[in-house]
Amino acid sequence: MVVKGKATEGESVYKIITLVGTSTESWEKAAAAAVKQAAKTLQDLRIAEVEELDMHIEDGKVIAYRARVKIPSNITADRSYPHLMTADGFSWKG
């Protein structure tokens, strides 16, 4: 609910995206790469969940570490989702 242009406390809507980050050094750097990329276009990032870790192997050697990361973005605070906004520009809450 929107009250006088402000979202009611405790109510949020999140969109969850899944990204795969890669690194030649570690899973930690692979996960950080995914978060860094998400932060370029998404707002209000607060948590990321590493869903899966794997490695790319060639000729018996690890070539790259990969981390599949779920990243929720609060779309009620993010104006990049205009289809979820009301006519006066405030976030829609169902």
Side-chain angles (χ1 to χ4, degrees):
M1 170 192 270
V2 176
V3 179
K4 293 184 182 178
K6 294 184 181 179
T8 305
E9 293 291 322
E11 294 180 7
S12 296
V13 176
Y14 291 86
K15 177 177 183 172
I16 298 174
I17 64 165
T18 301
L19 298 174
V20 176
T22 62
S23 169
T24 57
E25 296 178 35
S26 69
W27 282 305
E28 290 85 0
K29 288 188 178 187
V35 172
K36 182 177 180 179
Q37 185 65 33
K40 291 180 181 180
T41 57
L42 300 174
Q43 297 177 11
D44 198 32
L45 300 181
R46 296 181 185 189
I47 191 167
E49 176 185 345
V50 176
E51 186 176 50
E52 185 176 339
L53 300 172
D54 64 23
M55 294 176 276
H56 180 199
I57 300 170
E58 287 184 11
D59 298 323
K61 295 182 182 179
V62 175
I63 300 301
Y65 296 88
R66 301 188 310 186
R68 183 181 304 174
V69 182
K70 283 184 174 181
I71 303 174
S73 176
N74 185 340
I75 62 175
T76 54
D78 187 347
R79 292 189 174 270
S80 66
Y81 297 95
H83 60 286
L84 297 174
M85 299 291 173
T86 61
D88 58 6
F90 297 112
S91 299
W92 175 82
K93 297 233 180 199

